Amino acid sequence: MGLFGNAHSIDHASAQRDYARLLGQGEQVHAAYLLIRDTILFTDRRLVLVDKQGLTGKKVEYHSIPYRSITHFSVETAGHFDLDAELKIWISGSPAPIEKTFTKGVDIYEVQAILTQFVAR
């Protein structure tokens, strides 16, 4: 489903290994999702968006969003005809939300629970 631009879950242990260079000492990946070539990591400290650019994907932009910067978020579940669930995250100082689309196979309630766990600290 990645070909259609929708995120699907990947093993958080393999994401921990693959992105070890991005993580601080003791930082743990709790969940990870793949969106074509881009990756979304939910760690115990922050949300990391990995944006691979260009045709080869060699140029990569990393967005690190501390959970304390998230002012609010919303999830929209998949319906009968709409096969995708959506996540919107508003960051302090930015009027437009970050939007990510997940396949129906991803438990959007799990994504919401992870955000709730870390944002509501």
Side-chain angles (χ1 to χ4, degrees):
M1 291 299 285
L3 293 176
F4 298 109
N6 301 328
H8 63 278
S9 62
I10 56 176
D11 179 54
H12 66 85
S14 64
Q16 180 82 31
R17 285 188 308 273
D18 294 345
Y19 294 100
R21 292 176 55 188
L22 293 179
L23 304 175
Q25 185 174 359
E27 187 173 11
Q28 297 293 312
V29 174
H30 284 265
Y33 299 91
L34 183 66
L35 174 60
I36 303 177
R37 297 182 306 171
D38 298 343
T39 305
I40 305 166
L41 304 174
F42 292 91
T43 78
D44 56 344
R45 300 179 188 170
R46 61 199 167 124
L47 177 64
V48 180
L49 305 176
V50 181
D51 180 14
K52 293 188 178 179
Q53 301 174 355
L55 294 174
T56 63
K58 288 186 179 185
K59 182 177 180 181
V60 182
E61 183 175 16
Y62 301 97
H63 297 269
S64 178
I65 303 166
Y67 291 118
R68 68 181 176 276
S69 297
I70 298 174
T71 58
H72 72 281
F73 61 89
S74 69
V75 294
E76 181 179 302
T77 61
H80 291 292
F81 299 107
D82 180 15
L83 301 178
D84 304 325
E86 293 181 6
L87 169 67
K88 293 180 183 177
I89 300 172
W90 284 264
I91 307 300
S92 60
S94 179
I98 296 169
E99 298 182 39
K100 298 295 177 184
T101 303
F102 296 81
T103 61
K104 194 170 185 174
V106 170
D107 184 356
I108 195 68
Y109 295 106
E110 178 182 291
V111 173
Q112 185 269 335
I114 291 167
L115 277 172
T116 297
Q117 176 184 355
F118 295 118
V119 171
R121 286 187 182 180

